[in-house]
Amino acid sequence: MSESNGAEQVLKNYAGETPGVIGNLRRLLYTGALAGTGKLVILPVDQGVEHGPARSFAPNPEGYDPAYHASVAVEAGCNAYAAPIGFIESIAHEYAGRLPLILKVNNSDSLGTPAQPQSALTSAVKDAVRLGCNAIGFTIYPGSGSRNEQYEQIRDLISEAREAGLPTVIWSYPRGGKLSKDGETALDVSAYAAHLACQLGAHIVKVKPPTAHVEQDEARKFYDNIPRDTLADRVRHVVQAAFNGKRIVIFSGGPAKGTDAVLEELRQLAKGGANGTIMGRNAFQRPRKEGVALLKSAIQIFGGK
Amino acid sequence: MSESNGAEQVLKNYAGETPGVIGNLRRLLYTGALAGTGKLVILPVDQGVEHGPARSFAPNPEGYDPAYHASVAVEAGCNAYAAPIGFIESIAHEYAGRLPLILKVNNSDSLGTPAQPQSALTSAVKDAVRLGCNAIGFTIYPGSGSRNEQYEQIRDLISEAREAGLPTVIWSYPRGGKLSKDGETALDVSAYAAHLACQLGAHIVKVKPPTAHVEQDEARKFYDNIPRDTLADRVRHVVQAAFNGKRIVIFSGGPAKGTDAVLEELRQLAKGGANGTIMGRNAFQRPRKEGVALLKSAIQIFGGK
Amino acid sequence: MSESNGAEQVLKNYAGETPGVIGNLRRLLYTGALAGTGKLVILPVDQGVEHGPARSFAPNPEGYDPAYHASVAVEAGCNAYAAPIGFIESIAHEYAGRLPLILKVNNSDSLGTPAQPQSALTSAVKDAVRLGCNAIGFTIYPGSGSRNEQYEQIRDLISEAREAGLPTVIWSYPRGGKLSKDGETALDVSAYAAHLACQLGAHIVKVKPPTAHVEQDEARKFYDNIPRDTLADRVRHVVQAAFNGKRIVIFSGGPAKGTDAVLEELRQLAKGGANGTIMGRNAFQRPRKEGVALLKSAIQIFGGK
Amino acid sequence: MSESNGAEQVLKNYAGETPGVIGNLRRLLYTGALAGTGKLVILPVDQGVEHGPARSFAPNPEGYDPAYHASVAVEAGCNAYAAPIGFIESIAHEYAGRLPLILKVNNSDSLGTPAQPQSALTSAVKDAVRLGCNAIGFTIYPGSGSRNEQYEQIRDLISEAREAGLPTVIWSYPRGGKLSKDGETALDVSAYAAHLACQLGAHIVKVKPPTAHVEQDEARKFYDNIPRDTLADRVRHVVQAAFNGKRIVIFSGGPAKGTDAVLEELRQLAKGGANGTIMGRNAFQRPRKEGVALLKSAIQIFGGK
Amino acid sequence: MSESNGAEQVLKNYAGETPGVIGNLRRLLYTGALAGTGKLVILPVDQGVEHGPARSFAPNPEGYDPAYHASVAVEAGCNAYAAPIGFIESIAHEYAGRLPLILKVNNSDSLGTPAQPQSALTSAVKDAVRLGCNAIGFTIYPGSGSRNEQYEQIRDLISEAREAGLPTVIWSYPRGGKLSKDGETALDVSAYAAHLACQLGAHIVKVKPPTAHVEQDEARKFYDNIPRDTLADRVRHVVQAAFNGKRIVIFSGGPAKGTDAVLEELRQLAKGGANGTIMGRNAFQRPRKEGVALLKSAIQIFGGK
């Protein structure tokens, strides 16, 4: 492995971490078709919990079976597969050590009605260890009235994960409080969300692609000189907010859409300096062949080919 | 024991579990008249807590005595008996090792008025161990405003139970929040409830027989191509939502009713691919002889005879 | 000690318990004038906390002194003395080993205004052990909006007490929520309260003498064939609800009243199959001589003399 | 030390306690000018937290310095000095072992706005041990809607303090809920407050001097025969409510006032059987010489001189 | 090191502390251009969390990079650098042992909407130890309805930090409850805030420069004889409230402003007896050269040059 390759450049930014955590970050960065590039394409499947099984898997019923997704991730050459404990438990004995697994330790469903936006803790670091996972994932909702509880949960989880040699991926999704619906993906709010996740100690940050909207009045004037016309421009600002690019930032793809739209978005992400993408519905709601092909296209885009 | 029998086929889906947990699942699957078939008929008696003693046992006063139920379960050839700690403590010294016992570790009564639908923790994993039980049972109410607290409780209990070699049965009963009364047993909601229980790590899922109603607007279009005219059709969809049948799903029978209605419902459940039934009031509110006979009929139906 | 005496018959129903817990139950059943009969007359003095010192002790100022009550309990031949930690601490060094002590580990006062009916935890199992007590006592308020918290407290306390060899007495007082004032002592609610306490794992259940009122609409029809004209009839139903008499059920006497009324109530309790009484104000608000005499009368009634 | 002196008479009422706790109570009772009498004059300085620094110390600016108060307590011959952790930490290395220190482990300030009257935990038993203190102090607000939380805190603290050989002083200040402002110092409420503190396990109880007002309707008739015209009468009733005088009860002096008024109040307290006084503002808001003189007068009054 | 220098004079006020804590206080006092003077100029960078990345760093984009700030602190000769865990983790391996690091263990952002003013716990004492920090920092909001929770958090953190040999810095920012916006920096409230932090056990207290406003009606008359015309006067009162100057008190500089205004404020702070300043935005929102120069000016002012 060359010290000058992309993966090692990325890892230098984690120099203060334990070898255990760095080791698992390295495993993610050296798996699949993007091995060594410092880029990541990850397959996440928590839609069954988030939206329900039929909304998630009826379009491609193979997806009801937990074995399907891990097999797709390997075939496509993804760096990792992320899911709630039920799906991970069903396949871990066959995939641990072969495909990096990210245990999503909190989740939210569409039936529940908590007073504030907040996911439920559904698994623990010791589950991740037991199941041979390489990282944990956690969603925060900046803006929520229960922000404190969430930040304190992630504080404890990151610490516990570190003691087990596991890095932490934070899904940072602004939601609740004073935020308008548009504000959730506004540029200022997205950059803030990425910065918060980094300041909370995330090793990898996942945010949504930002729009050109600026939500906070107090922030408006500071955006006069920050380019935000193209998605690439906006991604560049989010990456800057993530410790000037010293933390890995990956972007989700959002709702299922046409292949051309997906590819154009991916190109903008790559151009703006994103470290990769985490693509769910666009992959698993297509028939297997098409889903694998789309993941491979994402890999090519981030691989610079 | 043959690797090709139904029980072993079912157990293959739990390949990643510990031998302790698999062992207790196997004990459930190899007890009673359905031993080895992979099917389960379980007698649950938590009605005294849920509805009060007179509403539960006045129709057949033998049921006031905790010794009655365990004896019926053995006579009928059930796979297991499930009850709150008081009832289990009263009989465990006589039945542990003979009849698999499922300790229902949370319960709700009709007097209490918690702000959100939520059962109270009434016993613990260490009680299950002390009393020689083979599994724990836990009720979640997806839809409740206290969903997070419930999911975190079951997260911890499953983990603790696993450390004691015990599998977990989740009673998944949608309730509260935005759900209409009809919505609680709607097909989409039932499938979602089963999927959630699986994703939370349940080894066995208990849901109610679903109706043809679809509750969630966002889910409606996805049901256009999912058959739901017969109960068997709907059960098939719920089983699919339970990891494509890779998790044991059993159905309750609901309120006491006529014998013919019960038997027809059981036939539909079996036809739809359910792994069995958990039948309470219909069994213990009949005179002993009739209750035993009904349980035996259920066993015959799931045994394919 | 004869296996056929009343105490040993009662203890058979606790066959699954640890020898430590059975041993302390046996100490209660073999102390005082009712030793060996399986019946219990207990002196409880938590009125100072519940209603304040003047309302409790001004009628008989000797009662301000904690030494008074233990001495009365011994003189009258009671099975045990129950009180909050302050009173117990004041006399335990003189009475432990001589008079069975029940530490009431939660209490409620008339000044406090918790949002839901709920007693405060005022002492712990380790206090009971330190003070040489033979059991702990705990009040639940079925009906309360904080039911879950209370049931979870008693779950933990019973378990901890068991580890210390101590049985648990549950004061089961329906209160709060949808219950009317009359409903708190309704027959259906009282039977439910006794059943709940048993299902939660109580070794001894204390309820109030029930009235003939039926509170819950859903329960009404089930009471058509349950006799409830006399207190003895109603007590019989409550005892049935307590696992068909397999758990010890004792009844409180309620507010101070005339001696004849007290004695008549006691006779009805005994006739209905109650295991005894726990009589406070009627004993300690009379002058010592009269209070002792009344307790002795209760003992005679339950002793069948 | 003579067994017939006042201090030993007082200590007999704590016969069931550990030698460690009795030892520290003895240290309090054998320090200063009242050594051996069984009486206590204590200097408390938590006004800086309760009312703010200027309101507390501007009248006598020497009081801003934590060294001032401990030095005054020694000079005047007090039994002990009570303060929050900040003040204690500043002087403990110089006074521990010389002047008994009471660490006030909870405190309330005038800026904070908790939903219910409740002090914040500001230090712990282990701080008391580290700083060489001889007791902990804790405020309860009977009447508060958060009564349960407060009682459970003091339950745990008393237990932990005992394990460290430390007695506990409870400041029992009725407040909140249904209580009127006058009710906070009403005779019935004050007696109730003292009784509650004793029942919770306090070794020393601190209450305010009661007025002749009776607050609770249910209690009124019981006060028909209880003398309450003079403060001495009322103190006598409060002492009776404190386990018939078997627990140490001391009274605070309230707001700063003229010397004659202070002395008259102290004489009534002594006459009514109080075990002493805990005098703050009246001592430290006077110039040093006057403050010391007033404390000495209090000592003379309780010393019976 | 001379016992008569400023740093040793300051340390005498912490005589009761552990050598571990004193050692780390000494490291802060003997680092940078003010070594040995007993004065402190600290660079804090938590604005990215508090206000968002663009509002904080767009004026001087070098600030997006966590490496920038530590390097500036060293170049300017600061005593220490304070930041949230994300920023500290990024540079600790390069600066621990060279530049004293203060881990800010709680933080608040502008998106979140907790019901009461309260920062979220974002890191722990064990993180401070792992990262080679020399102190922890914590924000309290006196006035908040969640005061109790905050005070209990800091109670536990101070204790845990002590066990790790780390002193604690409290940011004491009155906010919430009955306080007007002006009241947050009123003289009486600022003095109260400083006193509270000291009483809670802070080793170093950080408050904002107070105005001449008096907020609390009850406090007004006590300010009749307290000079408050100049900032120096007001600082002197705050220092007095901080245990008569026996605890280190440093002042923040507030919003970015012109250099002259900053310097004049610093001179007043020094004249009033402040132990130093903690200057963030005024330093890092200027170009590097100007920011360093301003920090050096602050150092000169507190160094008495």
Side-chain angles (χ1 to χ4, degrees):
Chain A
M1 100 187 111
S2 157
E3 293 228 347
S4 63
N5 77 9
E8 295 304 313
Q9 290 305 315
V10 166
L11 288 171
K12 276 187 185 162
N13 296 322
Y14 298 86
E17 260 303 345
T18 67
V21 170
I22 291 174
N24 271 312
L25 282 174
R26 187 172 274 126
R27 275 177 203 109
L28 265 74
L29 291 166
Y30 279 90
T31 295
L34 285 166
T37 62
K39 303 296 180 184
L40 296 157
V41 171
I42 295 174
L43 177 70
V45 189
D46 55 359
Q47 289 297 323
V49 172
E50 300 278 329
H51 292 173
R55 285 174 67 194
S56 302
F57 306 125
N60 174 30
E62 286 195 272
Y64 284 114
D65 193 324
Y68 175 75
H69 307 287
S71 140
V72 162
V74 167
E75 182 179 346
C78 290
N79 296 68
Y81 168 60
I85 188 168
F87 262 23
I88 294 286
E89 279 185 334
S90 190
I91 58 94
H93 60 294
E94 296 190 84
Y95 286 90
R98 185 149 62 116
L99 171 69
L101 302 172
I102 300 171
L103 183 64
K104 187 78 197 321
V105 296
N106 71 348
N107 295 97
S108 186
D109 64 77
S110 307
L111 298 175
T113 50
Q116 293 289 337
Q118 182 172 344
S119 295
L121 294 170
T122 53
S123 57
V125 168
K126 69 179 166 184
D127 292 309
V129 171
R130 174 173 59 88
L131 297 167
C133 299
N134 301 77
I136 61 165
F138 186 89
T139 295
I140 58 171
Y141 295 130
S144 170
S146 73
R147 170 201 72 187
N148 286 12
E149 195 176 337
Q150 296 176 47
Y151 290 5
E152 291 165 30
Q153 287 177 340
I154 189 59
R155 175 189 76 139
D156 292 343
L157 284 166
I158 290 177
S159 182
E160 205 184 331
R162 173 179 289 112
E163 285 169 19
L166 300 177
T168 298
V169 186
I170 292 184
W171 273 239
S172 192
Y173 286 179
R175 193 168 299 176
K178 304 164 296 189
L179 287 172
S180 70
K181 193 69 197 166
D182 280 353
E184 295 181 359
T185 50
L187 179 55
D188 59 323
V189 172
S190 296
Y192 204 159
H195 186 76
L196 282 174
C198 293
Q199 287 284 26
L200 290 168
H203 299 91
I204 300 177
V205 177
K206 172 186 183 293
V207 290
K208 293 186 179 170
T211 67
H213 176 54
V214 174
E215 170 83 355
Q216 307 167 94
D217 288 338
E218 306 85 342
R220 204 168 314 279
K221 67 175 178 183
F222 296 92
Y223 279 86
D224 287 350
N225 298 315
I226 298 174
R228 61 179 201 266
D229 289 347
T230 67
L231 177 56
D233 286 336
R234 301 190 293 267
V235 165
R236 201 168 290 117
H237 176 61
V238 171
V239 168
Q240 191 181 37
F243 291 8
N244 207 28
K246 288 186 170 170
R247 290 289 173 266
I248 297 169
V249 186
I250 57 180
F251 291 79
S252 58
K257 52 196 151 196
T259 301
D260 288 351
V262 173
L263 295 178
E264 176 53 24
E265 190 174 83
L266 290 168
R267 280 185 210 105
Q268 288 284 315
L269 295 178
K271 189 177 171 194
N275 294 80
T277 189
I278 179 159
M279 183 197 288
R281 277 170 289 176
N282 279 305
F284 67 72
Q285 290 189 342
R286 282 173 166 79
R288 180 181 185 111
K289 203 167 163 182
E290 293 177 33
V292 169
L294 190 60
L295 286 166
K296 286 189 170 174
S297 300
I299 286 166
Q300 284 180 331
I301 288 167
F302 281 102
K305 291 164 194 168
Chain B
M1 103 187 108
S2 156
E3 294 230 346
S4 62
N5 77 8
E8 295 305 313
Q9 290 305 314
V10 166
L11 288 171
K12 277 187 184 162
N13 296 322
Y14 299 86
E17 260 303 346
T18 66
V21 170
I22 292 174
N24 271 312
L25 281 174
R26 187 173 274 124
R27 276 177 203 109
L28 265 75
L29 290 166
Y30 279 90
T31 295
L34 286 167
T37 63
K39 303 296 179 184
L40 295 158
V41 171
I42 296 175
L43 176 69
V45 190
D46 55 358
Q47 290 295 324
V49 172
E50 300 278 330
H51 292 173
R55 285 175 66 194
S56 303
F57 306 125
N60 174 29
E62 286 195 271
Y64 284 114
D65 194 324
Y68 175 73
H69 306 287
S71 139
V72 163
V74 168
E75 182 179 346
C78 291
N79 297 67
Y81 168 59
I85 188 167
F87 262 23
I88 294 286
E89 279 185 335
S90 190
I91 58 93
H93 60 294
E94 298 191 83
Y95 286 90
R98 185 148 62 115
L99 171 68
L101 301 173
I102 301 171
L103 183 63
K104 187 79 197 320
V105 296
N106 70 349
N107 295 98
S108 186
D109 63 77
S110 307
L111 299 174
T113 50
Q116 293 290 337
Q118 183 172 345
S119 295
L121 293 171
T122 52
S123 57
V125 169
K126 68 178 165 185
D127 291 310
V129 172
R130 174 172 60 87
L131 296 168
C133 298
N134 301 76
I136 61 166
F138 186 89
T139 295
I140 58 171
Y141 296 129
S144 170
S146 73
R147 170 200 73 187
N148 287 13
E149 195 176 335
Q150 297 176 48
Y151 289 5
E152 292 165 31
Q153 287 177 340
I154 189 58
R155 175 188 75 140
D156 293 343
L157 285 166
I158 290 177
S159 183
E160 205 185 330
R162 173 179 288 112
E163 286 169 19
L166 299 177
T168 297
V169 185
I170 292 185
W171 272 239
S172 191
Y173 286 180
R175 192 168 298 177
K178 304 163 296 189
L179 287 172
S180 70
K181 194 68 197 166
D182 280 353
E184 295 180 359
T185 50
L187 179 56
D188 59 323
V189 172
S190 296
Y192 204 159
H195 186 75
L196 282 173
C198 293
Q199 287 284 26
L200 290 168
H203 298 91
I204 300 177
V205 178
K206 171 186 184 292
V207 290
K208 293 186 179 168
T211 66
H213 176 54
V214 174
E215 170 83 357
Q216 308 167 94
D217 289 337
E218 307 86 341
R220 203 167 315 278
K221 68 176 176 182
F222 295 93
Y223 279 87
D224 287 349
N225 298 315
I226 298 175
R228 61 180 202 266
D229 289 346
T230 68
L231 177 56
D233 286 336
R234 300 190 293 267
V235 165
R236 202 168 290 118
H237 176 60
V238 170
V239 168
Q240 190 181 38
F243 291 8
N244 207 28
K246 289 188 170 170
R247 289 290 173 265
I248 298 168
V249 187
I250 58 181
F251 291 79
S252 57
K257 51 195 152 197
T259 302
D260 288 351
V262 173
L263 294 179
E264 176 53 24
E265 190 175 84
L266 290 169
R267 280 184 211 105
Q268 289 284 315
L269 294 178
K271 188 175 171 195
N275 294 81
T277 188
I278 179 159
M279 183 198 288
R281 276 170 290 177
N282 279 305
F284 67 73
Q285 290 188 342
R286 282 172 165 79
R288 181 182 184 109
K289 203 167 162 182
E290 294 178 31
V292 168
L294 191 59
L295 285 166
K296 286 189 171 174
S297 299
I299 287 166
Q300 283 179 331
I301 289 167
F302 281 101
K305 291 165 195 168
Chain C
M1 102 187 109
S2 156
E3 294 232 344
S4 63
N5 77 8
E8 295 305 313
Q9 290 306 315
V10 166
L11 288 172
K12 276 188 186 162
N13 296 322
Y14 298 85
E17 260 303 346
T18 66
V21 170
I22 291 174
N24 271 311
L25 281 174
R26 186 173 276 125
R27 276 178 202 108
L28 265 74
L29 290 167
Y30 279 90
T31 294
L34 285 167
T37 62
K39 303 295 179 183
L40 296 159
V41 171
I42 296 175
L43 177 69
V45 190
D46 57 357
Q47 290 295 324
V49 171
E50 300 278 330
H51 293 173
R55 285 175 65 193
S56 303
F57 306 124
N60 174 29
E62 286 195 272
Y64 285 114
D65 194 323
Y68 174 75
H69 306 288
S71 139
V72 162
V74 168
E75 182 179 345
C78 290
N79 296 67
Y81 168 59
I85 187 166
F87 261 23
I88 295 285
E89 278 184 335
S90 190
I91 58 93
H93 60 294
E94 297 191 85
Y95 286 91
R98 185 148 62 114
L99 172 68
L101 302 173
I102 301 171
L103 182 64
K104 187 79 197 320
V105 297
N106 70 350
N107 295 98
S108 186
D109 64 77
S110 307
L111 298 175
T113 49
Q116 293 290 338
Q118 183 173 346
S119 294
L121 294 170
T122 53
S123 58
V125 169
K126 68 178 166 186
D127 292 309
V129 172
R130 174 173 59 87
L131 296 168
C133 299
N134 301 77
I136 62 165
F138 186 88
T139 295
I140 58 171
Y141 295 130
S144 169
S146 74
R147 170 200 73 187
N148 286 13
E149 194 176 337
Q150 296 176 47
Y151 289 5
E152 292 164 31
Q153 288 177 340
I154 189 59
R155 174 188 76 141
D156 293 343
L157 284 165
I158 290 177
S159 182
E160 206 185 330
R162 173 179 289 112
E163 285 169 19
L166 299 178
T168 297
V169 186
I170 292 185
W171 273 238
S172 192
Y173 286 180
R175 193 167 298 177
K178 304 163 295 189
L179 287 173
S180 71
K181 193 68 196 165
D182 280 351
E184 295 181 0
T185 50
L187 179 56
D188 59 325
V189 172
S190 296
Y192 204 159
H195 186 76
L196 283 173
C198 293
Q199 286 284 26
L200 290 168
H203 298 91
I204 300 177
V205 177
K206 172 186 184 292
V207 290
K208 294 186 179 168
T211 67
H213 176 54
V214 173
E215 170 82 357
Q216 308 167 93
D217 288 337
E218 306 87 341
R220 203 167 315 279
K221 67 174 177 183
F222 296 93
Y223 279 87
D224 287 350
N225 298 315
I226 298 175
R228 60 181 201 266
D229 289 345
T230 67
L231 177 56
D233 287 336
R234 301 190 293 267
V235 164
R236 201 168 291 118
H237 176 60
V238 171
V239 168
Q240 190 180 38
F243 291 7
N244 207 27
K246 289 188 170 170
R247 290 290 174 264
I248 297 169
V249 186
I250 57 181
F251 291 80
S252 57
K257 52 196 150 196
T259 302
D260 288 351
V262 173
L263 294 179
E264 176 53 23
E265 191 174 84
L266 290 169
R267 279 184 212 108
Q268 289 284 315
L269 296 178
K271 188 174 171 195
N275 294 81
T277 188
I278 178 159
M279 183 197 289
R281 276 170 290 176
N282 279 306
F284 67 73
Q285 289 188 342
R286 281 173 166 78
R288 182 183 183 108
K289 203 166 161 184
E290 295 176 31
V292 168
L294 191 59
L295 286 166
K296 286 189 172 173
S297 299
I299 286 166
Q300 284 179 331
I301 289 168
F302 282 101
K305 292 163 194 169
Chain D
M1 102 187 110
S2 155
E3 294 232 343
S4 62
N5 76 8
E8 296 305 314
Q9 289 305 315
V10 166
L11 289 171
K12 276 188 185 160
N13 296 323
Y14 298 86
E17 260 302 345
T18 67
V21 169
I22 291 174
N24 271 311
L25 281 174
R26 187 172 275 125
R27 277 178 202 107
L28 265 74
L29 290 168
Y30 279 90
T31 295
L34 286 167
T37 62
K39 304 294 180 184
L40 296 158
V41 171
I42 296 175
L43 177 68
V45 190
D46 56 357
Q47 289 295 325
V49 171
E50 299 279 329
H51 292 172
R55 285 174 67 193
S56 303
F57 306 125
N60 173 29
E62 286 194 273
Y64 284 114
D65 193 324
Y68 175 74
H69 306 288
S71 141
V72 162
V74 168
E75 182 178 345
C78 291
N79 296 67
Y81 168 59
I85 188 167
F87 262 23
I88 295 285
E89 279 185 334
S90 190
I91 57 93
H93 60 294
E94 296 191 83
Y95 286 91
R98 186 148 61 114
L99 172 67
L101 301 172
I102 300 171
L103 183 63
K104 186 79 197 320
V105 297
N106 71 348
N107 295 98
S108 185
D109 64 77
S110 307
L111 298 175
T113 50
Q116 293 289 337
Q118 183 172 347
S119 295
L121 294 170
T122 54
S123 58
V125 169
K126 68 179 167 184
D127 292 309
V129 172
R130 175 173 59 87
L131 295 167
C133 298
N134 302 77
I136 61 165
F138 186 89
T139 295
I140 57 170
Y141 295 130
S144 169
S146 73
R147 171 201 72 187
N148 286 13
E149 194 176 336
Q150 297 176 48
Y151 289 5
E152 291 165 31
Q153 288 177 340
I154 189 58
R155 175 188 75 140
D156 292 344
L157 285 165
I158 289 178
S159 183
E160 206 185 332
R162 173 179 289 112
E163 285 170 17
L166 299 177
T168 297
V169 187
I170 292 185
W171 273 239
S172 191
Y173 286 0
R175 193 168 299 177
K178 305 163 295 189
L179 287 173
S180 70
K181 193 68 197 165
D182 280 351
E184 295 180 0
T185 51
L187 179 56
D188 59 324
V189 172
S190 296
Y192 204 159
H195 185 76
L196 282 173
C198 293
Q199 286 283 26
L200 290 168
H203 299 92
I204 301 177
V205 177
K206 173 187 183 291
V207 291
K208 294 187 178 168
T211 67
H213 175 55
V214 174
E215 171 83 358
Q216 307 167 96
D217 289 338
E218 305 86 341
R220 203 168 316 279
K221 67 174 177 183
F222 296 92
Y223 279 88
D224 287 349
N225 298 315
I226 298 175
R228 61 180 201 267
D229 289 346
T230 67
L231 178 55
D233 286 337
R234 301 189 293 267
V235 164
R236 201 167 291 118
H237 177 60
V238 171
V239 168
Q240 191 180 38
F243 290 7
N244 207 27
K246 289 188 169 170
R247 289 290 174 264
I248 297 170
V249 186
I250 57 180
F251 291 79
S252 58
K257 51 195 150 196
T259 302
D260 288 351
V262 173
L263 295 179
E264 177 52 24
E265 191 174 83
L266 290 169
R267 280 186 212 105
Q268 289 284 314
L269 296 178
K271 189 175 170 194
N275 294 81
T277 189
I278 179 157
M279 183 197 289
R281 276 170 291 176
N282 279 305
F284 67 72
Q285 289 189 341
R286 282 173 165 78
R288 182 182 183 110
K289 204 167 161 182
E290 293 177 32
V292 169
L294 191 59
L295 286 166
K296 286 189 170 173
S297 299
I299 286 166
Q300 284 180 331
I301 289 168
F302 281 101
K305 292 166 195 167
Chain E
M1 104 187 108
S2 157
E3 293 230 346
S4 62
N5 77 8
E8 296 304 314
Q9 290 305 315
V10 166
L11 289 171
K12 276 187 186 162
N13 296 323
Y14 298 85
E17 260 302 346
T18 67
V21 170
I22 291 174
N24 271 312
L25 281 174
R26 188 172 273 125
R27 276 176 202 109
L28 265 74
L29 290 167
Y30 280 90
T31 295
L34 285 167
T37 62
K39 303 296 180 184
L40 296 157
V41 171
I42 295 174
L43 178 68
V45 190
D46 56 358
Q47 290 295 324
V49 171
E50 299 278 329
H51 292 172
R55 284 175 67 193
S56 303
F57 306 125
N60 174 29
E62 285 194 273
Y64 284 114
D65 193 324
Y68 175 75
H69 306 287
S71 141
V72 161
V74 167
E75 182 179 345
C78 290
N79 297 67
Y81 167 60
I85 189 168
F87 261 23
I88 294 286
E89 278 185 333
S90 190
I91 58 93
H93 60 294
E94 296 191 84
Y95 286 91
R98 185 148 63 115
L99 172 68
L101 302 173
I102 301 171
L103 183 64
K104 188 77 197 320
V105 296
N106 71 348
N107 295 97
S108 186
D109 64 77
S110 307
L111 298 175
T113 50
Q116 293 289 337
Q118 182 172 345
S119 295
L121 293 170
T122 53
S123 57
V125 168
K126 69 179 167 184
D127 292 310
V129 171
R130 175 174 58 88
L131 296 167
C133 298
N134 301 78
I136 61 165
F138 186 88
T139 295
I140 57 171
Y141 295 130
S144 169
S146 74
R147 171 200 73 186
N148 286 13
E149 194 175 337
Q150 297 177 48
Y151 289 5
E152 292 165 30
Q153 287 177 340
I154 189 59
R155 175 188 76 140
D156 292 343
L157 285 165
I158 289 177
S159 182
E160 205 185 332
R162 173 179 289 112
E163 285 169 18
L166 299 177
T168 297
V169 186
I170 293 185
W171 272 239
S172 191
Y173 287 180
R175 193 168 297 176
K178 305 163 296 189
L179 287 172
S180 70
K181 193 69 196 164
D182 280 352
E184 294 180 359
T185 51
L187 179 55
D188 59 323
V189 173
S190 296
Y192 204 159
H195 186 76
L196 282 174
C198 292
Q199 287 284 26
L200 290 169
H203 298 92
I204 300 177
V205 177
K206 174 187 184 290
V207 290
K208 294 187 179 169
T211 67
H213 176 56
V214 174
E215 171 83 356
Q216 306 167 95
D217 289 337
E218 306 86 342
R220 205 168 313 280
K221 67 174 178 183
F222 295 93
Y223 279 87
D224 287 349
N225 297 315
I226 298 175
R228 60 180 202 266
D229 289 346
T230 67
L231 177 56
D233 287 337
R234 301 190 293 267
V235 165
R236 202 168 290 118
H237 176 61
V238 171
V239 168
Q240 191 180 37
F243 291 8
N244 207 28
K246 289 187 169 170
R247 289 289 173 267
I248 297 170
V249 185
I250 57 180
F251 291 79
S252 58
K257 51 195 151 195
T259 302
D260 288 351
V262 173
L263 294 179
E264 177 51 24
E265 190 174 84
L266 290 169
R267 280 186 210 106
Q268 289 284 313
L269 295 178
K271 189 174 170 195
N275 294 80
T277 189
I278 180 158
M279 183 197 289
R281 277 170 288 176
N282 279 305
F284 67 71
Q285 290 189 341
R286 283 173 165 78
R288 180 180 184 111
K289 203 168 162 180
E290 293 177 32
V292 169
L294 191 59
L295 286 166
K296 286 189 170 174
S297 299
I299 286 166
Q300 284 180 332
I301 288 167
F302 281 101
K305 292 165 193 168

